[in-house]
Amino acid sequence: MQLNFKDIFTAFMILFAVIDIIGNIPIIIDLRKKVGHIQSGKASIIAGVIMIIFLFVGKSLLSLIGIDVNSFAVAGAFVIFFIALEMVLGITLYKDDESSSVTASVFPLAFPLMAGPGTLTTLLSLRAEFAIENIIVAVISNVVVIYIVLKTSSKIERIIGTNGINIIRKIFGVILLAIAVKLFAHNIKALLA
């Protein structure tokens, strides 16, 4: 096992950008308002476990059920698109009568926001470039950052204020829409080619 700190840092930064936990703060705050308490530890661990499992069995699992990575990414793009629409338009599309902190910690927080199709397809790309142990360390480091942001999101909300959160929510909603469109366009091209 050979840990390379340059590779770990590179993989960490790529995953950090794709997961975009800072950009997801408005979604986290909004989710916390809808369901009350969010289980930060559980959400972080589930996201980390999904990423590490997918790192090892992702491509084989998708092939086994007859889905290619591009189809998976297109489906994820739709989910991200609808979450972004909620943010920008201030509407609620996803309704769950049994909204609880347990279900919110898993869906949509752990999956698809943190360990979503963008993250999972990125992991498959990183696997071709870096040693597996370096990617695992990068994933674990990102899980720690996710946990810290989830734990401190209410403090961040107090500092920024309601108007600040609303502005950030709209801005990141548009950014999330753009990411969804890019993810969709890139992968639909690959599917149609």
Side-chain angles (χ1 to χ4, degrees):
M1 187 162 98
Q2 187 69 35
L3 291 178
N4 180 326
F5 292 106
K6 183 181 177 280
D7 288 354
I8 291 169
F9 182 74
T10 305
F12 170 83
M13 289 310 292
I14 292 168
L15 285 171
F16 183 79
V18 173
I19 294 168
D20 191 24
I21 190 65
I22 305 300
N24 285 327
I25 288 174
I27 300 171
I28 295 162
I29 291 167
D30 192 47
L31 211 55
R32 191 165 264 151
K33 283 179 185 167
K34 284 181 189 173
V35 299
H37 174 72
I38 288 175
Q39 298 172 343
S40 308
K42 185 174 187 172
S44 305
I45 290 168
I46 289 171
V49 167
I50 290 170
M51 287 188 271
I52 289 172
I53 288 173
F54 199 82
L55 183 64
F56 287 101
V57 297
K59 209 168 188 174
S60 324
L61 183 67
L62 291 177
S63 298
L64 182 71
I65 55 177
I67 298 171
D68 57 46
V69 175
N70 300 109
S71 299
F72 182 75
V74 167
F78 281 113
V79 175
I80 293 168
F81 180 80
F82 289 120
I83 290 168
L85 274 183
E86 285 187 341
M87 291 173 70
V88 173
L89 302 176
I91 57 173
T92 304
L93 296 171
Y94 173 73
K95 290 181 182 159
D96 188 3
D97 293 336
E98 296 174 28
S99 281
S100 70
S101 62
V102 177
T103 53
S105 297
V106 178
F107 182 87
L109 204 51
F111 182 85
L113 281 180
M114 291 181 271
T119 307
L120 299 179
T121 50
T122 301
L123 283 168
L124 293 179
S125 306
L126 289 174
R127 182 138 191 221
E129 245 179 277
F130 303 111
I132 200 115
E133 59 268 15
N134 294 328
I135 301 169
I136 291 170
V137 173
V139 166
I140 292 168
S141 305
N142 269 290
V143 168
V144 170
V145 173
I146 289 168
Y147 176 75
I148 292 167
V149 171
L150 288 176
K151 270 295 190 200
T152 59
S153 63
S154 43
K155 287 178 187 168
I156 294 168
E157 181 185 21
R158 268 183 269 137
I159 293 166
I160 297 172
T162 310
N163 287 337
I165 291 298
N166 287 335
I167 292 165
I168 291 171
R169 189 170 190 266
K170 302 279 186 219
I171 292 167
F172 279 107
V174 173
I175 292 168
L176 208 56
L177 271 173
I179 290 169
V181 169
K182 182 182 176 190
L183 194 61
F184 178 82
H186 174 76
N187 288 285
I188 205 76
K189 267 190 239 165
L191 281 173
L192 299 174

